[in-house]
Amino acid sequence: MAAIVGSVWVTATLLMFVLGGHALNLLRVTATSRNPPSTPTVHCWCSSYPNLTVCSWPEPSLSPPTHYVATCSERHRQKVTQQCHLIQPGSSSSDLISASSPSSERLWHCHLPSLKLLTSYIINVTAVSSGGSSSHLSSFMLEDIVKPDPPIDVRVSPHGIRNLLVEWSPPPSWANLDIFPLKYQILYQYKSRGIPKSVSLGPYENTTVELKGLTQGGTYMFQVCAKELLGLGKCSDWSSPVEITIPRTKS
Ligand SMILES: *[C@@H]1O[C@H](CO)[C@@H](O)[C@H](O)[C@H]1NC(C)=O
Ligand SMILES: *[C@@H]1O[C@H](CO)[C@@H](O)[C@H](O)[C@H]1NC(C)=O
Ligand SMILES: *[C@@H]1O[C@H](CO)[C@@H](O)[C@H](O)[C@H]1NC(C)=O
């Protein structure tokens, strides 16, 4: 058995080597036993650089009682291990985190509050049940997995004939806005003679943008996303859509 696990580990290590340039490298080690729980599918992102990294994975729907052990270690100093603080599905802090996720899956989360910049980490989330255990292992660097929460409080208002003012507020969870500013993109959608169009604008460094020359009587739907100013990681999910119809002026 140990030999099988050993060879799986070697394969996984090579895989990580080959995929070295990717943001989150999956290494999978499934423990061998007769009836191990399913390997958690773990997704990690840094929602407030550099202080808050969150990992999540769905709770399997049909499985014996399973608990999880989640740890994170530096890839090149594997003895230095920290716990990833677990949050059960359905707890109030878990609802806060997953509020933006459309899925109805019950998600486990864990928090890593203090990771170092420019350091390669390995996260190990192990599912343990009476039938055995199985581990998900993946590697990441904070800089590659930055993904803010969406901007909030998006407002769109008429601003003179055929013009609109779009305003929003940064995601409150992004704690270090002074040191690590955000930039924003706007997506707006409308119909032109019945054909759906979509336009992407930005990036903008401030939180107010004036759009000019829109169509009177046209209905526009706006969304905003936030990205770290220097371009680390990804843009947030889009904020929920805000719709406005440009007033017609009477002639
Ligand atoms: C983020 O972490 C750094 C170092 O770990 C700490 O000095 C700083 O106070 C933290 N900031 C916040 C907003 O928690
Ligand atoms: C992952 O974590 C589990 C549970 O703590 C541990 O038994 C296992 O050895 C770890 N795997 C690796 C490759 O470090
Ligand atoms: C945002 O930037 C634009 C141009 O870059 C500027 O005209 C506008 O005044 C800025 N708004 C705020 C609120 O700083």
Side-chain angles (χ1 to χ4, degrees):
M1 291 268 184
I4 296 170
V5 171
S7 72
V8 172
W9 172 233
V10 169
T11 316
T13 309
L14 284 174
L15 183 67
M16 178 169 77
F17 214 66
V18 171
L19 298 175
H22 290 248
L24 195 66
N25 303 312
L26 175 66
L27 320 163
R28 178 174 289 193
V29 173
T30 302
T32 49
S33 68
R34 236 172 302 153
N35 191 17
S38 54
T39 307
T41 305
V42 179
H43 169 62
C44 298
W45 69 101
C46 175
S47 58
S48 179
Y49 185 75
N51 291 68
L52 183 58
T53 299
V54 181
C55 296
S56 80
W57 58 96
E59 181 171 69
S61 46
L62 292 171
S63 66
T66 304
H67 76 268
Y68 295 93
V69 181
T71 56
C72 186
S73 55
E74 289 182 34
R75 186 159 153 199
H76 301 292
R77 295 165 66 204
Q78 296 197 15
K79 300 249 158 58
V80 188
T81 293
Q82 56 173 294
Q83 293 292 320
C84 191
H85 306 287
L86 287 172
I87 299 167
Q88 293 200 12
S91 69
S92 53
S93 36
S94 161
D95 289 348
L96 272 181
I97 303 165
S98 47
S100 62
S101 120
S103 131
S104 60
E105 279 175 323
R106 285 168 57 82
L107 294 176
W108 280 84
H109 291 93
C110 75
H111 279 186
L112 292 161
S114 48
L115 298 182
K116 295 186 208 159
L117 309 189
L118 299 168
T119 304
S120 195
Y121 286 97
I122 293 181
I123 178 124
N124 173 351
V125 179
T126 299
V128 183
S129 74
S130 55
S133 69
S134 52
S135 303
H136 163 103
L137 294 171
S138 54
S139 75
F140 64 87
M141 267 173 64
L142 274 190
E143 288 70 21
D144 294 327
I145 61 164
V146 171
K147 187 182 178 200
D149 289 330
I152 59 161
D153 207 11
V154 178
R155 285 146 288 156
V156 185
S157 50
H159 196 241
I161 299 167
R162 301 177 63 192
N163 300 347
L164 286 179
L165 201 59
V166 186
E167 302 165 275
W168 59 91
S169 303
S173 56
W174 189 264
N176 303 307
L177 203 51
D178 295 340
I179 311 169
F180 299 106
L182 294 171
K183 61 183 176 186
Y184 304 92
Q185 275 169 266
I186 295 182
L187 174 69
Y188 71 88
Q189 301 177 65
Y190 62 100
K191 282 189 179 161
S192 170
R193 298 191 182 100
I195 300 162
K197 307 265 183 183
S198 88
V199 178
S200 174
L201 299 173
Y204 300 107
E205 292 183 27
N206 65 24
T207 57
T208 308
V209 170
E210 189 187 1
L211 302 184
K212 296 184 176 166
L214 301 171
T215 307
Q216 291 187 18
T219 295
Y220 294 80
M221 194 184 79
F222 286 86
Q223 291 172 286
V224 187
C225 76
K227 191 169 184 186
E228 196 276 331
L229 181 63
L230 301 178
L232 294 180
K234 289 187 188 164
C235 215
S236 69
D237 289 339
W238 292 107
S239 60
S240 12
V242 173
E243 215 176 78
I244 189 170
T245 300
I246 314 285
R248 288 179 198 278
T249 47
K250 301 195 180 79
S251 49

